Amino acid sequence: MAATPVWSVDPRTGKRREQVGHEATAREVDEAVRAAHATRGALADRTVRAAFLRAAADLLDGAAAEVTGAADAETALGAPRLTGELGRTTGQLRAFADAVDEGAYLDIRIDHADASLTPPRPELRRYKVPLGVVAVYAASNFPLAFSVPGGDTASALAAGCPVVVKAHPDHPATSALCGALLRRAAVAAGLPADVVAVVYGFDAGLELVRHPLVTAAGFTGSIRGGRALFDAAAARPVPIPFHGELGSLNPVVVTPAAAAERAEEIGGGLAGSVTLGVGQFCVKPGLVLVPAGADGDRLTEALAKALGETGPGVLLDHRMRDAFIAGVRERAALPGVDAPVAPGPGGEHTVTAGFLTVPAARLAGPGPHELLLEECFGPVTVLVRYEDQGEATALLDRLPGNLTATLHLSTAETEGGAAEGGAGAAELVERVTALAGRVVVNGWPTGVAVAPAQHHGGPYPAATSHSTSVGGTAIERWLRPVAYQSVPDALLPAELREANPLGLPRRVTGG
């Protein structure tokens, strides 16, 4: 049986650019995983790992024109956006190298023996060890930062785990190029190239998550695809952790006071957030609660003006374009739904941005309007016009888990006390904390800073675990703790020996 070819396709024309390779067979996936598994010992050296991550960042930066050119040809995201994404990607690699050097991620804890306690405490020393081979499933909308050289790969390698990436079909040539650069960096740092491998194909993705030597998986994509892989990971004879970022509506609440204070500013900012990346960000605001009345009308008019001035854009592929057009059409056909600026096809290969409006009463209970509470990937958002705070909070209580929730508050609500609305604002913060992994006030959720305090995740279906896929603590997904009890010092790992020969940060006896 002939191998199935993998083609690079130009989304601006729908035409094939080049054949990149072929979909991996079960045998080829097995070979890639076994080769990666064999590199675990070489990855154990923290100094070498850090050097590898920095070498990878340097090679990617050195090939910036080639990398961003390939990515633009396959995604139509544009050179400015992709240049910034490449900088974010190489910055992540260097940040994880710094984390490896520091060693705090090992979470070393030492409790000395104490016979005077009840019950007596033995000598205990604890740290974290890498899980093993990690399967990474690349995202469609970030061909660099959430794909082959992205955060899942960088954090897993930093933890000491080899990686096999299932490339996304929307950017196979970019994936092949980045994979080759990572493998070159590994060799330059004195590691086997097989610490990173790239495979292609839907069936290859299933083979990967089921492989007995794969110990964990990271995924960024749709609820349907992520849930299928999550279920496969759980159904294995030995289940494995599956850290999936799935879908998110990213609700926004605009209070009446905020609308009265700066309706036009909020409307313009919302337009920019909805259309960023042609609406293909996982944190795009897809549901916006706006008060009924004149101030909410001003916000809506400002949004309509800004979106009306936005030109057509190209989505990542024609399948997504078709799904966007069909999804908007189905939502707009619901009773009581209006389209002040109708999103839809802009041309043979493009789409136009827009928004829908609906009274909050239409979403008060089960029914066909629940479709509006599902993500629609692309440049569209839904404005829900609410009559009072009770109607708004009742709708919030119906929402599933999200990556983000945003509140737009007035100056009095953010700075004043209970008399000025501060108590109500605090209650809103508490309410949306229950349904989102990141809470934003008077800003927009698009843009996820890579920082130690960042959290990119949320309650299901936003994510399948409580971990983050962005920021320094993303490394924790690929580690497990081990405690050593009454083990002689000479037999302990170097990280846990009493003299601390590696100079690592540690907490000692309650310190």
Side-chain angles (χ1 to χ4, degrees), residues 163-187:
V163 172
V164 179
V165 184
K166 204 289 284 185
H168 196 279
D170 278 352
H171 37 78
T174 307
S175 299
L177 173 59
C178 291
L181 290 170
L182 291 182
R183 289 169 68 86
R184 277 178 52 194
V187 173

mmCIF file with all atom_site columns, all heavy atoms in Angstrom, residues 163-187:
data_model
loop_
_atom_site.group_PDB
_atom_site.id
_atom_site.type_symbol
_atom_site.label_atom_id
_atom_site.label_alt_id
_atom_site.label_comp_id
_atom_site.label_asym_id
_atom_site.label_entity_id
_atom_site.label_seq_id
_atom_site.pdbx_PDB_ins_code
_atom_site.Cartn_x
_atom_site.Cartn_y
_atom_site.Cartn_z
_atom_site.occupancy
_atom_site.B_iso_or_equiv
_atom_site.pdbx_formal_charge
_atom_site.auth_seq_id
_atom_site.auth_comp_id
_atom_site.auth_asym_id
_atom_site.auth_atom_id
_atom_site.pdbx_PDB_model_num
ATOM 1   N N   . VAL A 1 163 ? 10.790 14.161 22.999 1.00 0.00 ? 163 VAL A N   1
ATOM 2   C CA  . VAL A 1 163 ? 9.505  14.596 22.437 1.00 0.00 ? 163 VAL A CA  1
ATOM 3   C C   . VAL A 1 163 ? 9.317  14.025 21.032 1.00 0.00 ? 163 VAL A C   1
ATOM 4   O O   . VAL A 1 163 ? 10.234 14.068 20.208 1.00 0.00 ? 163 VAL A O   1
ATOM 5   C CB  . VAL A 1 163 ? 9.431  16.134 22.377 1.00 0.00 ? 163 VAL A CB  1
ATOM 6   C CG1 . VAL A 1 163 ? 8.198  16.587 21.610 1.00 0.00 ? 163 VAL A CG1 1
ATOM 7   C CG2 . VAL A 1 163 ? 9.423  16.720 23.782 1.00 0.00 ? 163 VAL A CG2 1
ATOM 8   N N   . VAL A 1 164 ? 8.120  13.511 20.783 1.00 0.00 ? 164 VAL A N   1
ATOM 9   C CA  . VAL A 1 164 ? 7.694  13.181 19.422 1.00 0.00 ? 164 VAL A CA  1
ATOM 10  C C   . VAL A 1 164 ? 6.482  14.059 19.122 1.00 0.00 ? 164 VAL A C   1
ATOM 11  O O   . VAL A 1 164 ? 5.471  13.992 19.829 1.00 0.00 ? 164 VAL A O   1
ATOM 12  C CB  . VAL A 1 164 ? 7.330  11.692 19.260 1.00 0.00 ? 164 VAL A CB  1
ATOM 13  C CG1 . VAL A 1 164 ? 6.881  11.415 17.827 1.00 0.00 ? 164 VAL A CG1 1
ATOM 14  C CG2 . VAL A 1 164 ? 8.521  10.812 19.621 1.00 0.00 ? 164 VAL A CG2 1
ATOM 15  N N   . VAL A 1 165 ? 6.601  14.889 18.092 1.00 0.00 ? 165 VAL A N   1
ATOM 16  C CA  . VAL A 1 165 ? 5.546  15.843 17.751 1.00 0.00 ? 165 VAL A CA  1
ATOM 17  C C   . VAL A 1 165 ? 4.718  15.302 16.587 1.00 0.00 ? 165 VAL A C   1
ATOM 18  O O   . VAL A 1 165 ? 5.266  14.880 15.569 1.00 0.00 ? 165 VAL A O   1
ATOM 19  C CB  . VAL A 1 165 ? 6.131  17.211 17.339 1.00 0.00 ? 165 VAL A CB  1
ATOM 20  C CG1 . VAL A 1 165 ? 5.005  18.211 17.078 1.00 0.00 ? 165 VAL A CG1 1
ATOM 21  C CG2 . VAL A 1 165 ? 7.080  17.741 18.393 1.00 0.00 ? 165 VAL A CG2 1
ATOM 22  N N   . LYS A 1 166 ? 3.398  15.321 16.755 1.00 0.00 ? 166 LYS A N   1
ATOM 23  C CA  . LYS A 1 166 ? 2.492  15.067 15.636 1.00 0.00 ? 166 LYS A CA  1
ATOM 24  C C   . LYS A 1 166 ? 2.205  16.429 15.020 1.00 0.00 ? 166 LYS A C   1
ATOM 25  O O   . LYS A 1 166 ? 1.514  17.266 15.596 1.00 0.00 ? 166 LYS A O   1
ATOM 26  C CB  . LYS A 1 166 ? 1.200  14.404 16.126 1.00 0.00 ? 166 LYS A CB  1
ATOM 27  C CG  . LYS A 1 166 ? 0.485  13.589 15.039 1.00 0.00 ? 166 LYS A CG  1
ATOM 28  C CD  . LYS A 1 166 ? -0.154 14.437 13.950 1.00 0.00 ? 166 LYS A CD  1
ATOM 29  C CE  . LYS A 1 166 ? -1.427 15.086 14.436 1.00 0.00 ? 166 LYS A CE  1
ATOM 30  N NZ  . LYS A 1 166 ? -2.119 15.832 13.301 1.00 0.00 ? 166 LYS A NZ  1
ATOM 31  N N   . ALA A 1 167 ? 2.794  16.667 13.838 1.00 0.00 ? 167 ALA A N   1
ATOM 32  C CA  . ALA A 1 167 ? 2.666  17.969 13.187 1.00 0.00 ? 167 ALA A CA  1
ATOM 33  C C   . ALA A 1 167 ? 1.227  18.226 12.766 1.00 0.00 ? 167 ALA A C   1
ATOM 34  O O   . ALA A 1 167 ? 0.468  17.306 12.458 1.00 0.00 ? 167 ALA A O   1
ATOM 35  C CB  . ALA A 1 167 ? 3.579  18.033 11.969 1.00 0.00 ? 167 ALA A CB  1
ATOM 36  N N   . HIS A 1 168 ? 0.851  19.512 12.729 1.00 0.00 ? 168 HIS A N   1
ATOM 37  C CA  . HIS A 1 168 ? -0.486 19.859 12.263 1.00 0.00 ? 168 HIS A CA  1
ATOM 38  C C   . HIS A 1 168 ? -0.500 19.888 10.741 1.00 0.00 ? 168 HIS A C   1
ATOM 39  O O   . HIS A 1 168 ? 0.442  20.387 10.108 1.00 0.00 ? 168 HIS A O   1
ATOM 40  C CB  . HIS A 1 168 ? -0.925 21.217 12.808 1.00 0.00 ? 168 HIS A CB  1
ATOM 41  C CG  . HIS A 1 168 ? -2.396 21.433 12.686 1.00 0.00 ? 168 HIS A CG  1
ATOM 42  N ND1 . HIS A 1 168 ? -2.989 21.848 11.509 1.00 0.00 ? 168 HIS A ND1 1
ATOM 43  C CD2 . HIS A 1 168 ? -3.406 21.253 13.569 1.00 0.00 ? 168 HIS A CD2 1
ATOM 44  C CE1 . HIS A 1 168 ? -4.296 21.927 11.683 1.00 0.00 ? 168 HIS A CE1 1
ATOM 45  N NE2 . HIS A 1 168 ? -4.575 21.572 12.923 1.00 0.00 ? 168 HIS A NE2 1
ATOM 46  N N   . PRO A 1 169 ? -1.570 19.390 10.102 1.00 0.00 ? 169 PRO A N   1
ATOM 47  C CA  . PRO A 1 169 ? -1.611 19.354 8.630  1.00 0.00 ? 169 PRO A CA  1
ATOM 48  C C   . PRO A 1 169 ? -1.642 20.720 7.971  1.00 0.00 ? 169 PRO A C   1
ATOM 49  O O   . PRO A 1 169 ? -1.386 20.815 6.762  1.00 0.00 ? 169 PRO A O   1
ATOM 50  C CB  . PRO A 1 169 ? -2.899 18.563 8.339  1.00 0.00 ? 169 PRO A CB  1
ATOM 51  C CG  . PRO A 1 169 ? -3.725 18.674 9.574  1.00 0.00 ? 169 PRO A CG  1
ATOM 52  C CD  . PRO A 1 169 ? -2.749 18.729 10.703 1.00 0.00 ? 169 PRO A CD  1
ATOM 53  N N   . ASP A 1 170 ? -1.927 21.789 8.711  1.00 0.00 ? 170 ASP A N   1
ATOM 54  C CA  . ASP A 1 170 ? -1.974 23.111 8.099  1.00 0.00 ? 170 ASP A CA  1
ATOM 55  C C   . ASP A 1 170 ? -0.593 23.698 7.829  1.00 0.00 ? 170 ASP A C   1
ATOM 56  O O   . ASP A 1 170 ? -0.478 24.663 7.063  1.00 0.00 ? 170 ASP A O   1
ATOM 57  C CB  . ASP A 1 170 ? -2.764 24.083 8.979  1.00 0.00 ? 170 ASP A CB  1
ATOM 58  C CG  . ASP A 1 170 ? -4.254 23.949 8.772  1.00 0.00 ? 170 ASP A CG  1
ATOM 59  O OD1 . ASP A 1 170 ? -4.670 23.229 7.854  1.00 0.00 ? 170 ASP A OD1 1
ATOM 60  O OD2 . ASP A 1 170 ? -5.019 24.565 9.547  1.00 0.00 ? 170 ASP A OD2 1
ATOM 61  N N   . HIS A 1 171 ? 0.447  23.199 8.484  1.00 0.00 ? 171 HIS A N   1
ATOM 62  C CA  . HIS A 1 171 ? 1.781  23.778 8.246  1.00 0.00 ? 171 HIS A CA  1
ATOM 63  C C   . HIS A 1 171 ? 2.874  22.710 8.322  1.00 0.00 ? 171 HIS A C   1
ATOM 64  O O   . HIS A 1 171 ? 3.804  22.807 9.121  1.00 0.00 ? 171 HIS A O   1
ATOM 65  C CB  . HIS A 1 171 ? 2.076  24.927 9.211  1.00 0.00 ? 171 HIS A CB  1
ATOM 66  C CG  . HIS A 1 171 ? 1.539  24.739 10.598 1.00 0.00 ? 171 HIS A CG  1
ATOM 67  N ND1 . HIS A 1 171 ? 2.145  23.928 11.534 1.00 0.00 ? 171 HIS A ND1 1
ATOM 68  C CD2 . HIS A 1 171 ? 0.458  25.269 11.207 1.00 0.00 ? 171 HIS A CD2 1
ATOM 69  C CE1 . HIS A 1 171 ? 1.455  23.971 12.655 1.00 0.00 ? 171 HIS A CE1 1
ATOM 70  N NE2 . HIS A 1 171 ? 0.418  24.778 12.485 1.00 0.00 ? 171 HIS A NE2 1
ATOM 71  N N   . PRO A 1 172 ? 2.798  21.706 7.440  1.00 0.00 ? 172 PRO A N   1
ATOM 72  C CA  . PRO A 1 172 ? 3.778  20.624 7.495  1.00 0.00 ? 172 PRO A CA  1
ATOM 73  C C   . PRO A 1 172 ? 5.189  21.042 7.100  1.00 0.00 ? 172 PRO A C   1
ATOM 74  O O   . PRO A 1 172 ? 6.169  20.534 7.646  1.00 0.00 ? 172 PRO A O   1
ATOM 75  C CB  . PRO A 1 172 ? 3.212  19.591 6.516  1.00 0.00 ? 172 PRO A CB  1
ATOM 76  C CG  . PRO A 1 172 ? 2.361  20.372 5.584  1.00 0.00 ? 172 PRO A CG  1
ATOM 77  C CD  . PRO A 1 172 ? 1.769  21.470 6.410  1.00 0.00 ? 172 PRO A CD  1
ATOM 78  N N   . ALA A 1 173 ? 5.321  21.952 6.127  1.00 0.00 ? 173 ALA A N   1
ATOM 79  C CA  . ALA A 1 173 ? 6.661  22.374 5.721  1.00 0.00 ? 173 ALA A CA  1
ATOM 80  C C   . ALA A 1 173 ? 7.343  23.154 6.841  1.00 0.00 ? 173 ALA A C   1
ATOM 81  O O   . ALA A 1 173 ? 8.542  22.979 7.100  1.00 0.00 ? 173 ALA A O   1
ATOM 82  C CB  . ALA A 1 173 ? 6.586  23.219 4.453  1.00 0.00 ? 173 ALA A CB  1
ATOM 83  N N   . THR A 1 174 ? 6.594  24.020 7.523  1.00 0.00 ? 174 THR A N   1
ATOM 84  C CA  . THR A 1 174 ? 7.141  24.741 8.666  1.00 0.00 ? 174 THR A CA  1
ATOM 85  C C   . THR A 1 174 ? 7.548  23.769 9.764  1.00 0.00 ? 174 THR A C   1
ATOM 86  O O   . THR A 1 174 ? 8.606  23.916 10.395 1.00 0.00 ? 174 THR A O   1
ATOM 87  C CB  . THR A 1 174 ? 6.095  25.731 9.211  1.00 0.00 ? 174 THR A CB  1
ATOM 88  O OG1 . THR A 1 174 ? 5.622  26.547 8.151  1.00 0.00 ? 174 THR A OG1 1
ATOM 89  C CG2 . THR A 1 174 ? 6.680  26.605 10.302 1.00 0.00 ? 174 THR A CG2 1
ATOM 90  N N   . SER A 1 175 ? 6.717  22.754 9.983  1.00 0.00 ? 175 SER A N   1
ATOM 91  C CA  . SER A 1 175 ? 7.012  21.750 11.005 1.00 0.00 ? 175 SER A CA  1
ATOM 92  C C   . SER A 1 175 ? 8.278  20.982 10.668 1.00 0.00 ? 175 SER A C   1
ATOM 93  O O   . SER A 1 175 ? 9.124  20.724 11.542 1.00 0.00 ? 175 SER A O   1
ATOM 94  C CB  . SER A 1 175 ? 5.831  20.778 11.144 1.00 0.00 ? 175 SER A CB  1
ATOM 95  O OG  . SER A 1 175 ? 4.667  21.466 11.535 1.00 0.00 ? 175 SER A OG  1
ATOM 96  N N   . ALA A 1 176 ? 8.433  20.610 9.399  1.00 0.00 ? 176 ALA A N   1
ATOM 97  C CA  . ALA A 1 176 ? 9.629  19.875 8.983  1.00 0.00 ? 176 ALA A CA  1
ATOM 98  C C   . ALA A 1 176 ? 10.879 20.732 9.171  1.00 0.00 ? 176 ALA A C   1
ATOM 99  O O   . ALA A 1 176 ? 11.921 20.251 9.657  1.00 0.00 ? 176 ALA A O   1
ATOM 100 C CB  . ALA A 1 176 ? 9.493  19.433 7.535  1.00 0.00 ? 176 ALA A CB  1
ATOM 101 N N   . LEU A 1 177 ? 10.794 21.996 8.804  1.00 0.00 ? 177 LEU A N   1
ATOM 102 C CA  . LEU A 1 177 ? 11.931 22.896 8.941  1.00 0.00 ? 177 LEU A CA  1
ATOM 103 C C   . LEU A 1 177 ? 12.311 23.080 10.408 1.00 0.00 ? 177 LEU A C   1
ATOM 104 O O   . LEU A 1 177 ? 13.491 22.976 10.780 1.00 0.00 ? 177 LEU A O   1
ATOM 105 C CB  . LEU A 1 177 ? 11.588 24.246 8.302  1.00 0.00 ? 177 LEU A CB  1
ATOM 106 C CG  . LEU A 1 177 ? 12.600 25.380 8.493  1.00 0.00 ? 177 LEU A CG  1
ATOM 107 C CD1 . LEU A 1 177 ? 13.960 25.000 7.932  1.00 0.00 ? 177 LEU A CD1 1
ATOM 108 C CD2 . LEU A 1 177 ? 12.077 26.659 7.823  1.00 0.00 ? 177 LEU A CD2 1
ATOM 109 N N   . CYS A 1 178 ? 11.319 23.353 11.249 1.00 0.00 ? 178 CYS A N   1
ATOM 110 C CA  . CYS A 1 178 ? 11.604 23.566 12.670 1.00 0.00 ? 178 CYS A CA  1
ATOM 111 C C   . CYS A 1 178 ? 12.115 22.281 13.329 1.00 0.00 ? 178 CYS A C   1
ATOM 112 O O   . CYS A 1 178 ? 13.010 22.321 14.178 1.00 0.00 ? 178 CYS A O   1
ATOM 113 C CB  . CYS A 1 178 ? 10.357 24.072 13.381 1.00 0.00 ? 178 CYS A CB  1
ATOM 114 S SG  . CYS A 1 178 ? 9.878  25.748 12.908 1.00 0.00 ? 178 CYS A SG  1
ATOM 115 N N   . GLY A 1 179 ? 11.540 21.140 12.935 1.00 0.00 ? 179 GLY A N   1
ATOM 116 C CA  . GLY A 1 179 ? 12.021 19.878 13.482 1.00 0.00 ? 179 GLY A CA  1
ATOM 117 C C   . GLY A 1 179 ? 13.477 19.641 13.137 1.00 0.00 ? 179 GLY A C   1
ATOM 118 O O   . GLY A 1 179 ? 14.277 19.192 13.979 1.00 0.00 ? 179 GLY A O   1
ATOM 119 N N   . ALA A 1 180 ? 13.864 19.940 11.901 1.00 0.00 ? 180 ALA A N   1
ATOM 120 C CA  . ALA A 1 180 ? 15.253 19.764 11.487 1.00 0.00 ? 180 ALA A CA  1
ATOM 121 C C   . ALA A 1 180 ? 16.183 20.687 12.271 1.00 0.00 ? 180 ALA A C   1
ATOM 122 O O   . ALA A 1 180 ? 17.296 20.288 12.653 1.00 0.00 ? 180 ALA A O   1
ATOM 123 C CB  . ALA A 1 180 ? 15.378 20.031 9.987  1.00 0.00 ? 180 ALA A CB  1
ATOM 124 N N   . LEU A 1 181 ? 15.743 21.917 12.523 1.00 0.00 ? 181 LEU A N   1
ATOM 125 C CA  . LEU A 1 181 ? 16.567 22.849 13.297 1.00 0.00 ? 181 LEU A CA  1
ATOM 126 C C   . LEU A 1 181 ? 16.741 22.370 14.736 1.00 0.00 ? 181 LEU A C   1
ATOM 127 O O   . LEU A 1 181 ? 17.834 22.463 15.312 1.00 0.00 ? 181 LEU A O   1
ATOM 128 C CB  . LEU A 1 181 ? 15.941 24.239 13.260 1.00 0.00 ? 181 LEU A CB  1
ATOM 129 C CG  . LEU A 1 181 ? 15.994 24.957 11.900 1.00 0.00 ? 181 LEU A CG  1
ATOM 130 C CD1 . LEU A 1 181 ? 15.138 26.210 11.921 1.00 0.00 ? 181 LEU A CD1 1
ATOM 131 C CD2 . LEU A 1 181 ? 17.433 25.312 11.542 1.00 0.00 ? 181 LEU A CD2 1
ATOM 132 N N   . LEU A 1 182 ? 15.675 21.845 15.342 1.00 0.00 ? 182 LEU A N   1
ATOM 133 C CA  . LEU A 1 182 ? 15.788 21.319 16.706 1.00 0.00 ? 182 LEU A CA  1
ATOM 134 C C   . LEU A 1 182 ? 16.736 20.126 16.757 1.00 0.00 ? 182 LEU A C   1
ATOM 135 O O   . LEU A 1 182 ? 17.529 19.981 17.693 1.00 0.00 ? 182 LEU A O   1
ATOM 136 C CB  . LEU A 1 182 ? 14.411 20.925 17.233 1.00 0.00 ? 182 LEU A CB  1
ATOM 137 C CG  . LEU A 1 182 ? 13.418 22.050 17.527 1.00 0.00 ? 182 LEU A CG  1
ATOM 138 C CD1 . LEU A 1 182 ? 12.124 21.471 18.081 1.00 0.00 ? 182 LEU A CD1 1
ATOM 139 C CD2 . LEU A 1 182 ? 13.979 23.072 18.489 1.00 0.00 ? 182 LEU A CD2 1
ATOM 140 N N   . ARG A 1 183 ? 16.669 19.273 15.782 1.00 0.00 ? 183 ARG A N   1
ATOM 141 C CA  . ARG A 1 183 ? 17.549 18.108 15.753 1.00 0.00 ? 183 ARG A CA  1
ATOM 142 C C   . ARG A 1 183 ? 19.011 18.534 15.537 1.00 0.00 ? 183 ARG A C   1
ATOM 143 O O   . ARG A 1 183 ? 19.926 17.971 16.133 1.00 0.00 ? 183 ARG A O   1
ATOM 144 C CB  . ARG A 1 183 ? 17.079 17.140 14.671 1.00 0.00 ? 183 ARG A CB  1
ATOM 145 C CG  . ARG A 1 183 ? 15.768 16.427 15.041 1.00 0.00 ? 183 ARG A CG  1
ATOM 146 C CD  . ARG A 1 183 ? 15.158 15.663 13.878 1.00 0.00 ? 183 ARG A CD  1
ATOM 147 N NE  . ARG A 1 183 ? 15.946 14.503 13.481 1.00 0.00 ? 183 ARG A NE  1
ATOM 148 C CZ  . ARG A 1 183 ? 15.851 13.295 14.024 1.00 0.00 ? 183 ARG A CZ  1
ATOM 149 N NH1 . ARG A 1 183 ? 14.999 13.081 15.029 1.00 0.00 ? 183 ARG A NH1 1
ATOM 150 N NH2 . ARG A 1 183 ? 16.583 12.295 13.578 1.00 0.00 ? 183 ARG A NH2 1
ATOM 151 N N   . ARG A 1 184 ? 19.235 19.548 14.721 1.00 0.00 ? 184 ARG A N   1
ATOM 152 C CA  . ARG A 1 184 ? 20.593 20.081 14.567 1.00 0.00 ? 184 ARG A CA  1
ATOM 153 C C   . ARG A 1 184 ? 21.104 20.653 15.871 1.00 0.00 ? 184 ARG A C   1
ATOM 154 O O   . ARG A 1 184 ? 22.275 20.467 16.242 1.00 0.00 ? 184 ARG A O   1
ATOM 155 C CB  . ARG A 1 184 ? 20.600 21.174 13.501 1.00 0.00 ? 184 ARG A CB  1
ATOM 156 C CG  . ARG A 1 184 ? 20.700 20.669 12.066 1.00 0.00 ? 184 ARG A CG  1
ATOM 157 C CD  . ARG A 1 184 ? 20.659 21.832 11.096 1.00 0.00 ? 184 ARG A CD  1
ATOM 158 N NE  . ARG A 1 184 ? 21.637 22.870 11.418 1.00 0.00 ? 184 ARG A NE  1
ATOM 159 C CZ  . ARG A 1 184 ? 21.620 24.102 10.897 1.00 0.00 ? 184 ARG A CZ  1
ATOM 160 N NH1 . ARG A 1 184 ? 20.656 24.439 10.038 1.00 0.00 ? 184 ARG A NH1 1
ATOM 161 N NH2 . ARG A 1 184 ? 22.540 24.984 11.229 1.00 0.00 ? 184 ARG A NH2 1
ATOM 162 N N   . ALA A 1 185 ? 20.236 21.355 16.592 1.00 0.00 ? 185 ALA A N   1
ATOM 163 C CA  . ALA A 1 185 ? 20.637 21.937 17.874 1.00 0.00 ? 185 ALA A CA  1
ATOM 164 C C   . ALA A 1 185 ? 20.994 20.847 18.881 1.00 0.00 ? 185 ALA A C   1
ATOM 165 O O   . ALA A 1 185 ? 21.936 20.998 19.666 1.00 0.00 ? 185 ALA A O   1
ATOM 166 C CB  . ALA A 1 185 ? 19.506 22.807 18.420 1.00 0.00 ? 185 ALA A CB  1
ATOM 167 N N   . ALA A 1 186 ? 20.249 19.755 18.863 1.00 0.00 ? 186 ALA A N   1
ATOM 168 C CA  . ALA A 1 186 ? 20.540 18.651 19.772 1.00 0.00 ? 186 ALA A CA  1
ATOM 169 C C   . ALA A 1 186 ? 21.940 18.108 19.516 1.00 0.00 ? 186 ALA A C   1
ATOM 170 O O   . ALA A 1 186 ? 22.738 17.911 20.449 1.00 0.00 ? 186 ALA A O   1
ATOM 171 C CB  . ALA A 1 186 ? 19.495 17.551 19.618 1.00 0.00 ? 186 ALA A CB  1
ATOM 172 N N   . VAL A 1 187 ? 22.255 17.867 18.265 1.00 0.00 ? 187 VAL A N   1
ATOM 173 C CA  . VAL A 1 187 ? 23.575 17.331 17.919 1.00 0.00 ? 187 VAL A CA  1
ATOM 174 C C   . VAL A 1 187 ? 24.672 18.321 18.297 1.00 0.00 ? 187 VAL A C   1
ATOM 175 O O   . VAL A 1 187 ? 25.729 17.945 18.831 1.00 0.00 ? 187 VAL A O   1
ATOM 176 C CB  . VAL A 1 187 ? 23.630 16.988 16.418 1.00 0.00 ? 187 VAL A CB  1
ATOM 177 C CG1 . VAL A 1 187 ? 25.042 16.597 15.995 1.00 0.00 ? 187 VAL A CG1 1
ATOM 178 C CG2 . VAL A 1 187 ? 22.648 15.859 16.103 1.00 0.00 ? 187 VAL A CG2 1
#
